[in-house]
Amino acid sequence: MTALAVRYTAARTLDTAPAETSPPGPGEVELAPAFVGICGTDLHIFHGDMDTRVRTPAVLGHEMSGRVVRVGPDVEDWQPGDAVTVMPLRWDDTCPACRAGHQHICRHLDFIGIDSPGAMQHRWTVPATTLLRLPPTLPLDHAALVEPTAVAVHDVGRAGIRDGDKTVVVGGGPVGVLIALVARAAGADVRVVEPSAHRRALARQLGLTAWNPADDDVTELVEKWTEDAGADVAFEVSGAAGGVDTAVDVLGARGRLCLVAIHPRPREINLHRFFWRELTLVGARLYDRSDFEKAIRLVADRTIPAEQLISKVVPLTEAPAAFEALEGGGDVMKILVDCTTDTAADAADADADAAQGAAV
């Protein structure tokens, strides 16, 4: 089998090219990625917005599921065939954030799939420490949603969601809907604010109440819903200036705003409202291992209905076109790239690789 990889080479330019493969070294594991999700950060890279950070050609992808193919020296806990996902973070363990126990916001963090080669390829070598085991009953396409679910778990934890909290999620894309589902599972009463009719319809299919900010005065709706008390928690997931305003305006006394979206430029914010209502702003970035472990449970027990969130699955060779399809945003939720082999010859090669890995 000729291993292929989806590579970012320049703004709005992706190709599918032969990938460099080598045996895993000490402490490393070679994986056969099965399914890889395309996320908003991948789109930012595709648009050229992260060219100062990403080194080309860059193999993309960090939302993944797959199986172990080979293990390197000193790796004892993993065997070929094990179903896994990857927490795609490497930290230095020496900076102040790491020493304080916050390795996921390490000053020198290597986000695998952005700062180093990612999962959108037939073979991928990663540190064994990044692996998490998947339940045998969890389909691998569903398991590709574990990473974004871990983001949502971390966000809900940062917001301190309590049972009964009136919660507004501003932005009903993949992460926004996952936050809404995780918050609901934690006992929150949730409303989603989203301009896309398609995404509002999907949110409603999942049993969520969704409002259109273009037609509805969201602040008035929140006042009516909360009997003028205001929301306890708001999540800003839209990345838009108007989304920030909405998230601040809906909060009641001592409400909590959790900033999830990556805003590419500074935003104005109504600090007087923070003063007047004693609001709290918290940032939420990435996740830790416990978030991943909880995300696996939520996807496996169908608290996260992955099959309803996956809009389309495309083969690896069609990934460049899938990025263009996602640019419209509103009519799709999550597109997965299928990195599995699909011919008899390829399957035989994969079996041979696995057998070789078992002997390492």
Side-chain angles (χ1 to χ4, degrees):
M1 180 182 73
T2 300
L4 299 176
V6 177
R7 308 183 311 168
Y8 169 77
T9 58
R12 300 191 57 78
T13 305
L14 299 172
D15 66 16
T16 306
E20 297 181 7
T21 59
S22 58
E28 294 182 333
V29 174
E30 182 182 4
L31 305 178
F35 297 93
V36 181
I38 302 173
C39 82
T41 302
D42 297 322
L43 283 177
H44 284 307
I45 295 172
F46 176 62
H47 293 150
D49 297 336
M50 300 177 67
D51 281 357
T52 58
R53 176 176 173 183
V54 174
R55 292 177 293 179
T56 57
V59 181
L60 303 184
H62 57 271
E63 302 178 359
M64 65 80 62
S65 63
R67 294 189 182 277
V68 173
V69 174
R70 292 187 288 183
V71 300
D74 304 325
V75 175
E76 299 179 352
D77 296 333
W78 301 99
Q79 297 179 351
D82 286 345
V84 299
T85 188
V86 167
M87 188 175 80
L89 307 180
R90 280 187 289 224
W91 47 82
D92 64 17
D93 246 348
T94 62
C95 76
C98 287
R99 295 198 306 270
H102 309 308
Q103 289 88 346
H104 66 290
I105 49 175
C106 170
R107 286 187 180 180
H108 307 107
L109 187 70
D110 173 7
F111 193 118
I112 305 173
I114 299 175
D115 304 307
S116 56
M120 214 169 286
Q121 53 185 321
H122 285 131
R123 292 292 184 268
W124 190 35
T125 298
V126 296
T129 54
T130 66
L131 301 187
L132 289 97
R133 195 175 304 276
L134 296 174
T137 55
L138 177 58
L140 290 181
D141 56 344
H142 294 187
L145 270 67
V146 165
E147 193 272 353
T149 300
V151 170
V153 170
H154 186 75
D155 298 340
V156 168
R158 287 287 290 155
I161 289 288
R162 298 183 288 263
D163 189 46
D165 274 349
K166 303 288 189 182
T167 300
V168 177
V169 180
V170 182
V175 172
V177 167
L178 288 170
I179 289 171
L181 293 171
V182 174
R184 182 175 69 181
D189 186 3
V190 183
R191 301 292 185 268
V192 177
V193 179
E194 170 55 47
S196 162
H198 175 83
R199 289 179 168 177
R200 286 198 310 276
L202 176 58
R204 289 164 182 157
Q205 290 172 18
L206 299 173
L208 299 165
T209 298
W211 294 329
N212 181 3
D215 295 337
D216 302 316
D217 186 320
V218 174
T219 303
E220 287 187 5
L221 290 172
V222 170
E223 289 176 355
K224 181 177 180 180
W225 168 45
T226 64
E227 298 181 344
D228 294 328
D232 300 296
V233 179
F235 292 91
E236 204 307 281
V237 201
S238 72
V244 175
D245 292 339
T246 297
V248 173
D249 290 347
V250 299
L251 288 170
R254 293 205 167 182
R256 302 172 319 268
L257 170 58
C258 184
L259 181 62
V260 177
I262 300 174
H263 288 260
R265 61 186 61 86
R267 302 291 192 193
E268 291 188 3
I269 190 166
N270 185 352
L271 291 179
H272 182 267
R273 196 168 185 89
F274 273 79
F275 158 76
W276 199 250
R277 294 198 171 185
E278 292 197 349
L279 305 182
T280 298
L281 170 64
V282 295
R285 178 186 172 197
L286 298 176
Y287 30 63
D288 59 27
R289 196 171 186 90
S290 65
D291 296 322
F292 248 82
E293 291 167 347
K294 182 172 182 178
I296 290 171
R297 295 194 296 270
L298 291 174
V299 177
D301 70 14
R302 300 195 73 255
T303 298
I304 303 300
E307 71 281 0
Q308 291 178 260
L309 298 174
I310 298 169
S311 304
K312 184 186 299 185
V313 179
V314 302
L316 184 143
T317 53
E318 294 181 17
F323 275 74
E324 296 180 3
L326 274 170
E327 286 187 291
D331 292 336
V332 293
M333 184 61 69
K334 179 61 67 176
I335 294 181
L336 302 185
V337 175
D338 184 348
C339 299
T340 61
T341 56
D342 57 4
T343 68
D346 285 347
D349 285 346
D351 290 344
D353 286 345
Q356 181 181 358
V360 172

PDB file of all heavy atoms in Angstrom, residues 215-249:
ATOM      1  N   ASP A 215     -34.086  37.040  13.467  1.00  0.00           N
ATOM      2  CA  ASP A 215     -35.526  37.284  13.558  1.00  0.00           C
ATOM      3  C   ASP A 215     -36.002  37.585  14.973  1.00  0.00           C
ATOM      4  O   ASP A 215     -37.059  38.197  15.157  1.00  0.00           O
ATOM      5  CB  ASP A 215     -36.302  36.070  13.033  1.00  0.00           C
ATOM      6  CG  ASP A 215     -36.067  35.834  11.552  1.00  0.00           C
ATOM      7  OD1 ASP A 215     -35.689  36.788  10.859  1.00  0.00           O
ATOM      8  OD2 ASP A 215     -36.258  34.688  11.103  1.00  0.00           O
ATOM      9  N   ASP A 216     -35.231  37.112  15.967  1.00  0.00           N
ATOM     10  CA  ASP A 216     -35.684  37.213  17.348  1.00  0.00           C
ATOM     11  C   ASP A 216     -34.783  38.143  18.154  1.00  0.00           C
ATOM     12  O   ASP A 216     -33.573  38.207  17.924  1.00  0.00           O
ATOM     13  CB  ASP A 216     -35.669  35.829  18.016  1.00  0.00           C
ATOM     14  CG  ASP A 216     -36.533  34.818  17.282  1.00  0.00           C
ATOM     15  OD1 ASP A 216     -37.652  35.185  16.892  1.00  0.00           O
ATOM     16  OD2 ASP A 216     -36.074  33.669  17.100  1.00  0.00           O
ATOM     17  N   ASP A 217     -35.375  38.877  19.093  1.00  0.00           N
ATOM     18  CA  ASP A 217     -34.588  39.641  20.058  1.00  0.00           C
ATOM     19  C   ASP A 217     -34.193  38.669  21.169  1.00  0.00           C
ATOM     20  O   ASP A 217     -34.998  38.337  22.045  1.00  0.00           O
ATOM     21  CB  ASP A 217     -35.415  40.802  20.618  1.00  0.00           C
ATOM     22  CG  ASP A 217     -34.601  41.714  21.521  1.00  0.00           C
ATOM     23  OD1 ASP A 217     -33.775  41.195  22.300  1.00  0.00           O
ATOM     24  OD2 ASP A 217     -34.785  42.948  21.457  1.00  0.00           O
ATOM     25  N   VAL A 218     -32.959  38.191  21.092  1.00  0.00           N
ATOM     26  CA  VAL A 218     -32.521  37.141  22.006  1.00  0.00           C
ATOM     27  C   VAL A 218     -32.577  37.604  23.452  1.00  0.00           C
ATOM     28  O   VAL A 218     -32.974  36.838  24.344  1.00  0.00           O
ATOM     29  CB  VAL A 218     -31.102  36.662  21.623  1.00  0.00           C
ATOM     30  CG1 VAL A 218     -30.575  35.665  22.651  1.00  0.00           C
ATOM     31  CG2 VAL A 218     -31.108  36.033  20.232  1.00  0.00           C
ATOM     32  N   THR A 219     -32.222  38.849  23.706  1.00  0.00           N
ATOM     33  CA  THR A 219     -32.256  39.355  25.080  1.00  0.00           C
ATOM     34  C   THR A 219     -33.667  39.314  25.647  1.00  0.00           C
ATOM     35  O   THR A 219     -33.880  38.908  26.799  1.00  0.00           O
ATOM     36  CB  THR A 219     -31.696  40.781  25.138  1.00  0.00           C
ATOM     37  OG1 THR A 219     -30.367  40.789  24.619  1.00  0.00           O
ATOM     38  CG2 THR A 219     -31.665  41.291  26.572  1.00  0.00           C
ATOM     39  N   GLU A 220     -34.651  39.707  24.831  1.00  0.00           N
ATOM     40  CA  GLU A 220     -36.042  39.653  25.291  1.00  0.00           C
ATOM     41  C   GLU A 220     -36.481  38.211  25.539  1.00  0.00           C
ATOM     42  O   GLU A 220     -37.192  37.928  26.511  1.00  0.00           O
ATOM     43  CB  GLU A 220     -36.960  40.310  24.262  1.00  0.00           C
ATOM     44  CG  GLU A 220     -36.859  41.829  24.228  1.00  0.00           C
ATOM     45  CD  GLU A 220     -37.897  42.439  23.314  1.00  0.00           C
ATOM     46  OE1 GLU A 220     -38.751  41.674  22.781  1.00  0.00           O
ATOM     47  OE2 GLU A 220     -37.883  43.670  23.122  1.00  0.00           O
ATOM     48  N   LEU A 221     -36.080  37.309  24.658  1.00  0.00           N
ATOM     49  CA  LEU A 221     -36.439  35.908  24.850  1.00  0.00           C
ATOM     50  C   LEU A 221     -35.853  35.361  26.148  1.00  0.00           C
ATOM     51  O   LEU A 221     -36.509  34.609  26.874  1.00  0.00           O
ATOM     52  CB  LEU A 221     -35.949  35.074  23.663  1.00  0.00           C
ATOM     53  CG  LEU A 221     -36.674  35.290  22.333  1.00  0.00           C
ATOM     54  CD1 LEU A 221     -35.965  34.549  21.214  1.00  0.00           C
ATOM     55  CD2 LEU A 221     -38.128  34.819  22.442  1.00  0.00           C
ATOM     56  N   VAL A 222     -34.622  35.740  26.449  1.00  0.00           N
ATOM     57  CA  VAL A 222     -33.986  35.279  27.682  1.00  0.00           C
ATOM     58  C   VAL A 222     -34.697  35.875  28.894  1.00  0.00           C
ATOM     59  O   VAL A 222     -34.929  35.185  29.901  1.00  0.00           O
ATOM     60  CB  VAL A 222     -32.484  35.632  27.695  1.00  0.00           C
ATOM     61  CG1 VAL A 222     -31.872  35.385  29.077  1.00  0.00           C
ATOM     62  CG2 VAL A 222     -31.746  34.811  26.637  1.00  0.00           C
ATOM     63  N   GLU A 223     -35.068  37.146  28.824  1.00  0.00           N
ATOM     64  CA  GLU A 223     -35.779  37.757  29.944  1.00  0.00           C
ATOM     65  C   GLU A 223     -37.104  37.053  30.212  1.00  0.00           C
ATOM     66  O   GLU A 223     -37.477  36.801  31.367  1.00  0.00           O
ATOM     67  CB  GLU A 223     -35.997  39.244  29.670  1.00  0.00           C
ATOM     68  CG  GLU A 223     -34.715  40.071  29.745  1.00  0.00           C
ATOM     69  CD  GLU A 223     -34.928  41.525  29.378  1.00  0.00           C
ATOM     70  OE1 GLU A 223     -36.060  41.863  28.967  1.00  0.00           O
ATOM     71  OE2 GLU A 223     -33.975  42.316  29.493  1.00  0.00           O
ATOM     72  N   LYS A 224     -37.806  36.723  29.143  1.00  0.00           N
ATOM     73  CA  LYS A 224     -39.079  36.016  29.311  1.00  0.00           C
ATOM     74  C   LYS A 224     -38.855  34.622  29.878  1.00  0.00           C
ATOM     75  O   LYS A 224     -39.572  34.179  30.791  1.00  0.00           O
ATOM     76  CB  LYS A 224     -39.803  35.937  27.966  1.00  0.00           C
ATOM     77  CG  LYS A 224     -41.147  35.248  28.034  1.00  0.00           C
ATOM     78  CD  LYS A 224     -41.845  35.258  26.675  1.00  0.00           C
ATOM     79  CE  LYS A 224     -43.197  34.558  26.744  1.00  0.00           C
ATOM     80  NZ  LYS A 224     -43.880  34.561  25.410  1.00  0.00           N
ATOM     81  N   TRP A 225     -37.868  33.928  29.337  1.00  0.00           N
ATOM     82  CA  TRP A 225     -37.546  32.554  29.756  1.00  0.00           C
ATOM     83  C   TRP A 225     -37.129  32.491  31.223  1.00  0.00           C
ATOM     84  O   TRP A 225     -37.502  31.574  31.958  1.00  0.00           O
ATOM     85  CB  TRP A 225     -36.462  32.024  28.828  1.00  0.00           C
ATOM     86  CG  TRP A 225     -35.762  30.759  29.194  1.00  0.00           C
ATOM     87  CD1 TRP A 225     -36.305  29.596  29.640  1.00  0.00           C
ATOM     88  CD2 TRP A 225     -34.347  30.527  29.104  1.00  0.00           C
ATOM     89  NE1 TRP A 225     -35.327  28.646  29.831  1.00  0.00           N
ATOM     90  CE2 TRP A 225     -34.118  29.193  29.514  1.00  0.00           C
ATOM     91  CE3 TRP A 225     -33.278  31.310  28.709  1.00  0.00           C
ATOM     92  CZ2 TRP A 225     -32.836  28.627  29.530  1.00  0.00           C
ATOM     93  CZ3 TRP A 225     -32.010  30.752  28.720  1.00  0.00           C
ATOM     94  CH2 TRP A 225     -31.795  29.424  29.140  1.00  0.00           C
ATOM     95  N   THR A 226     -36.363  33.494  31.659  1.00  0.00           N
ATOM     96  CA  THR A 226     -35.816  33.485  33.021  1.00  0.00           C
ATOM     97  C   THR A 226     -36.608  34.352  33.992  1.00  0.00           C
ATOM     98  O   THR A 226     -36.171  34.558  35.126  1.00  0.00           O
ATOM     99  CB  THR A 226     -34.350  33.978  33.011  1.00  0.00           C
ATOM    100  OG1 THR A 226     -34.314  35.352  32.568  1.00  0.00           O
ATOM    101  CG2 THR A 226     -33.478  33.130  32.087  1.00  0.00           C
ATOM    102  N   GLU A 227     -37.752  34.876  33.527  1.00  0.00           N
ATOM    103  CA  GLU A 227     -38.564  35.777  34.362  1.00  0.00           C
ATOM    104  C   GLU A 227     -37.735  36.976  34.826  1.00  0.00           C
ATOM    105  O   GLU A 227     -37.727  37.341  36.001  1.00  0.00           O
ATOM    106  CB  GLU A 227     -39.168  35.014  35.540  1.00  0.00           C
ATOM    107  CG  GLU A 227     -40.111  33.891  35.106  1.00  0.00           C
ATOM    108  CD  GLU A 227     -40.726  33.143  36.281  1.00  0.00           C
ATOM    109  OE1 GLU A 227     -40.204  33.287  37.410  1.00  0.00           O
ATOM    110  OE2 GLU A 227     -41.707  32.416  36.071  1.00  0.00           O
ATOM    111  N   ASP A 228     -37.030  37.568  33.851  1.00  0.00           N
ATOM    112  CA  ASP A 228     -36.227  38.786  34.024  1.00  0.00           C
ATOM    113  C   ASP A 228     -34.956  38.597  34.842  1.00  0.00           C
ATOM    114  O   ASP A 228     -34.250  39.577  35.125  1.00  0.00           O
ATOM    115  CB  ASP A 228     -37.058  39.921  34.652  1.00  0.00           C
ATOM    116  CG  ASP A 228     -38.176  40.399  33.746  1.00  0.00           C
ATOM    117  OD1 ASP A 228     -37.975  40.358  32.521  1.00  0.00           O
ATOM    118  OD2 ASP A 228     -39.236  40.800  34.259  1.00  0.00           O
ATOM    119  N   ALA A 229     -34.623  37.375  35.202  1.00  0.00           N
ATOM    120  CA  ALA A 229     -33.413  37.157  36.001  1.00  0.00           C
ATOM    121  C   ALA A 229     -32.149  37.167  35.147  1.00  0.00           C
ATOM    122  O   ALA A 229     -31.065  37.490  35.639  1.00  0.00           O
ATOM    123  CB  ALA A 229     -33.512  35.833  36.752  1.00  0.00           C
ATOM    124  N   GLY A 230     -32.267  36.811  33.873  1.00  0.00           N
ATOM    125  CA  GLY A 230     -31.093  36.672  33.024  1.00  0.00           C
ATOM    126  C   GLY A 230     -30.495  35.281  33.136  1.00  0.00           C
ATOM    127  O   GLY A 230     -30.767  34.524  34.081  1.00  0.00           O
ATOM    128  N   ALA A 231     -29.663  34.947  32.170  1.00  0.00           N
ATOM    129  CA  ALA A 231     -29.056  33.621  32.146  1.00  0.00           C
ATOM    130  C   ALA A 231     -27.960  33.505  33.196  1.00  0.00           C
ATOM    131  O   ALA A 231     -27.300  34.487  33.555  1.00  0.00           O
ATOM    132  CB  ALA A 231     -28.480  33.335  30.762  1.00  0.00           C
ATOM    133  N   ASP A 232     -27.756  32.275  33.679  1.00  0.00           N
ATOM    134  CA  ASP A 232     -26.673  32.009  34.624  1.00  0.00           C
ATOM    135  C   ASP A 232     -25.335  31.879  33.897  1.00  0.00           C
ATOM    136  O   ASP A 232     -24.290  32.274  34.434  1.00  0.00           O
ATOM    137  CB  ASP A 232     -26.942  30.710  35.388  1.00  0.00           C
ATOM    138  CG  ASP A 232     -28.231  30.763  36.176  1.00  0.00           C
ATOM    139  OD1 ASP A 232     -28.319  31.597  37.104  1.00  0.00           O
ATOM    140  OD2 ASP A 232     -29.158  30.001  35.846  1.00  0.00           O
ATOM    141  N   VAL A 233     -25.380  31.295  32.699  1.00  0.00           N
ATOM    142  CA  VAL A 233     -24.155  31.012  31.945  1.00  0.00           C
ATOM    143  C   VAL A 233     -24.402  31.300  30.473  1.00  0.00           C
ATOM    144  O   VAL A 233     -25.483  31.036  29.946  1.00  0.00           O
ATOM    145  CB  VAL A 233     -23.725  29.533  32.108  1.00  0.00           C
ATOM    146  CG1 VAL A 233     -22.460  29.242  31.298  1.00  0.00           C
ATOM    147  CG2 VAL A 233     -23.503  29.177  33.571  1.00  0.00           C
ATOM    148  N   ALA A 234     -23.380  31.850  29.811  1.00  0.00           N
ATOM    149  CA  ALA A 234     -23.402  31.984  28.355  1.00  0.00           C
ATOM    150  C   ALA A 234     -22.071  31.483  27.806  1.00  0.00           C
ATOM    151  O   ALA A 234     -21.014  31.734  28.402  1.00  0.00           O
ATOM    152  CB  ALA A 234     -23.629  33.435  27.932  1.00  0.00           C
ATOM    153  N   PHE A 235     -22.127  30.779  26.689  1.00  0.00           N
ATOM    154  CA  PHE A 235     -20.933  30.336  25.977  1.00  0.00           C
ATOM    155  C   PHE A 235     -20.854  31.111  24.669  1.00  0.00           C
ATOM    156  O   PHE A 235     -21.820  31.121  23.896  1.00  0.00           O
ATOM    157  CB  PHE A 235     -21.003  28.840  25.662  1.00  0.00           C
ATOM    158  CG  PHE A 235     -20.927  27.947  26.869  1.00  0.00           C
ATOM    159  CD1 PHE A 235     -22.082  27.555  27.526  1.00  0.00           C
ATOM    160  CD2 PHE A 235     -19.699  27.491  27.339  1.00  0.00           C
ATOM    161  CE1 PHE A 235     -22.029  26.724  28.627  1.00  0.00           C
ATOM    162  CE2 PHE A 235     -19.636  26.659  28.442  1.00  0.00           C
ATOM    163  CZ  PHE A 235     -20.797  26.276  29.093  1.00  0.00           C
ATOM    164  N   GLU A 236     -19.724  31.754  24.408  1.00  0.00           N
ATOM    165  CA  GLU A 236     -19.528  32.452  23.140  1.00  0.00           C
ATOM    166  C   GLU A 236     -18.744  31.522  22.225  1.00  0.00           C
ATOM    167  O   GLU A 236     -17.549  31.286  22.391  1.00  0.00           O
ATOM    168  CB  GLU A 236     -18.747  33.752  23.348  1.00  0.00           C
ATOM    169  CG  GLU A 236     -18.972  34.792  22.267  1.00  0.00           C
ATOM    170  CD  GLU A 236     -18.756  34.307  20.850  1.00  0.00           C
ATOM    171  OE1 GLU A 236     -17.602  34.215  20.415  1.00  0.00           O
ATOM    172  OE2 GLU A 236     -19.755  34.003  20.164  1.00  0.00           O
ATOM    173  N   VAL A 237     -19.443  30.971  21.208  1.00  0.00           N
ATOM    174  CA  VAL A 237     -18.840  29.975  20.321  1.00  0.00           C
ATOM    175  C   VAL A 237     -18.881  30.447  18.872  1.00  0.00           C
ATOM    176  O   VAL A 237     -18.443  29.736  17.979  1.00  0.00           O
ATOM    177  CB  VAL A 237     -19.558  28.614  20.465  1.00  0.00           C
ATOM    178  CG1 VAL A 237     -18.681  27.468  19.974  1.00  0.00           C
ATOM    179  CG2 VAL A 237     -19.953  28.326  21.910  1.00  0.00           C
ATOM    180  N   SER A 238     -19.414  31.628  18.636  1.00  0.00           N
ATOM    181  CA  SER A 238     -19.627  32.085  17.261  1.00  0.00           C
ATOM    182  C   SER A 238     -18.372  32.677  16.626  1.00  0.00           C
ATOM    183  O   SER A 238     -18.201  32.615  15.415  1.00  0.00           O
ATOM    184  CB  SER A 238     -20.740  33.139  17.228  1.00  0.00           C
ATOM    185  OG  SER A 238     -20.293  34.371  17.797  1.00  0.00           O
ATOM    186  N   GLY A 239     -17.516  33.294  17.426  1.00  0.00           N
ATOM    187  CA  GLY A 239     -16.347  33.973  16.879  1.00  0.00           C
ATOM    188  C   GLY A 239     -16.661  35.306  16.247  1.00  0.00           C
ATOM    189  O   GLY A 239     -15.800  35.913  15.608  1.00  0.00           O
ATOM    190  N   ALA A 240     -17.868  35.806  16.427  1.00  0.00           N
ATOM    191  CA  ALA A 240     -18.293  37.065  15.813  1.00  0.00           C
ATOM    192  C   ALA A 240     -18.478  38.144  16.879  1.00  0.00           C
ATOM    193  O   ALA A 240     -18.824  37.849  18.031  1.00  0.00           O
ATOM    194  CB  ALA A 240     -19.612  36.861  15.062  1.00  0.00           C
ATOM    195  N   ALA A 241     -18.284  39.399  16.463  1.00  0.00           N
ATOM    196  CA  ALA A 241     -18.453  40.509  17.405  1.00  0.00           C
ATOM    197  C   ALA A 241     -19.867  40.543  17.964  1.00  0.00           C
ATOM    198  O   ALA A 241     -20.076  40.778  19.166  1.00  0.00           O
ATOM    199  CB  ALA A 241     -18.113  41.831  16.711  1.00  0.00           C
ATOM    200  N   GLY A 242     -20.859  40.312  17.102  1.00  0.00           N
ATOM    201  CA  GLY A 242     -22.237  40.292  17.566  1.00  0.00           C
ATOM    202  C   GLY A 242     -22.496  39.173  18.556  1.00  0.00           C
ATOM    203  O   GLY A 242     -23.321  39.319  19.472  1.00  0.00           O
ATOM    204  N   GLY A 243     -21.800  38.052  18.385  1.00  0.00           N
ATOM    205  CA  GLY A 243     -21.946  36.951  19.328  1.00  0.00           C
ATOM    206  C   GLY A 243     -21.449  37.322  20.711  1.00  0.00           C
ATOM    207  O   GLY A 243     -22.050  36.943  21.723  1.00  0.00           O
ATOM    208  N   VAL A 244     -20.354  38.078  20.774  1.00  0.00           N
ATOM    209  CA  VAL A 244     -19.840  38.538  22.067  1.00  0.00           C
ATOM    210  C   VAL A 244     -20.868  39.428  22.743  1.00  0.00           C
ATOM    211  O   VAL A 244     -21.164  39.271  23.938  1.00  0.00           O
ATOM    212  CB  VAL A 244     -18.513  39.293  21.882  1.00  0.00           C
ATOM    213  CG1 VAL A 244     -18.035  39.872  23.211  1.00  0.00           C
ATOM    214  CG2 VAL A 244     -17.451  38.378  21.295  1.00  0.00           C
ATOM    215  N   ASP A 245     -21.439  40.366  21.982  1.00  0.00           N
ATOM    216  CA  ASP A 245     -22.443  41.272  22.557  1.00  0.00           C
ATOM    217  C   ASP A 245     -23.627  40.489  23.110  1.00  0.00           C
ATOM    218  O   ASP A 245     -24.111  40.755  24.223  1.00  0.00           O
ATOM    219  CB  ASP A 245     -22.926  42.256  21.498  1.00  0.00           C
ATOM    220  CG  ASP A 245     -21.849  43.240  21.074  1.00  0.00           C
ATOM    221  OD1 ASP A 245     -20.883  43.432  21.842  1.00  0.00           O
ATOM    222  OD2 ASP A 245     -21.972  43.804  19.963  1.00  0.00           O
ATOM    223  N   THR A 246     -24.106  39.516  22.340  1.00  0.00           N
ATOM    224  CA  THR A 246     -25.253  38.719  22.784  1.00  0.00           C
ATOM    225  C   THR A 246     -24.928  37.950  24.057  1.00  0.00           C
ATOM    226  O   THR A 246     -25.716  37.927  25.010  1.00  0.00           O
ATOM    227  CB  THR A 246     -25.683  37.745  21.675  1.00  0.00           C
ATOM    228  OG1 THR A 246     -26.108  38.489  20.537  1.00  0.00           O
ATOM    229  CG2 THR A 246     -26.816  36.843  22.145  1.00  0.00           C
ATOM    230  N   ALA A 247     -23.759  37.324  24.076  1.00  0.00           N
ATOM    231  CA  ALA A 247     -23.383  36.513  25.234  1.00  0.00           C
ATOM    232  C   ALA A 247     -23.298  37.351  26.507  1.00  0.00           C
ATOM    233  O   ALA A 247     -23.668  36.883  27.591  1.00  0.00           O
ATOM    234  CB  ALA A 247     -22.049  35.810  24.966  1.00  0.00           C
ATOM    235  N   VAL A 248     -22.828  38.586  26.386  1.00  0.00           N
ATOM    236  CA  VAL A 248     -22.752  39.469  27.556  1.00  0.00           C
ATOM    237  C   VAL A 248     -24.143  39.955  27.945  1.00  0.00           C
ATOM    238  O   VAL A 248     -24.512  39.961  29.133  1.00  0.00           O
ATOM    239  CB  VAL A 248     -21.817  40.658  27.275  1.00  0.00           C
ATOM    240  CG1 VAL A 248     -21.868  41.666  28.419  1.00  0.00           C
ATOM    241  CG2 VAL A 248     -20.383  40.170  27.057  1.00  0.00           C
ATOM    242  N   ASP A 249     -24.945  40.356  26.964  1.00  0.00           N
ATOM    243  CA  ASP A 249     -26.238  40.983  27.242  1.00  0.00           C
ATOM    244  C   ASP A 249     -27.239  40.041  27.896  1.00  0.00           C
ATOM    245  O   ASP A 249     -28.123  40.494  28.620  1.00  0.00           O
ATOM    246  CB  ASP A 249     -26.841  41.532  25.941  1.00  0.00           C
ATOM    247  CG  ASP A 249     -26.087  42.743  25.418  1.00  0.00           C
ATOM    248  OD1 ASP A 249     -25.271  43.308  26.182  1.00  0.00           O
ATOM    249  OD2 ASP A 249     -26.296  43.101  24.238  1.00  0.00           O
TER     250      ASP A 249
END
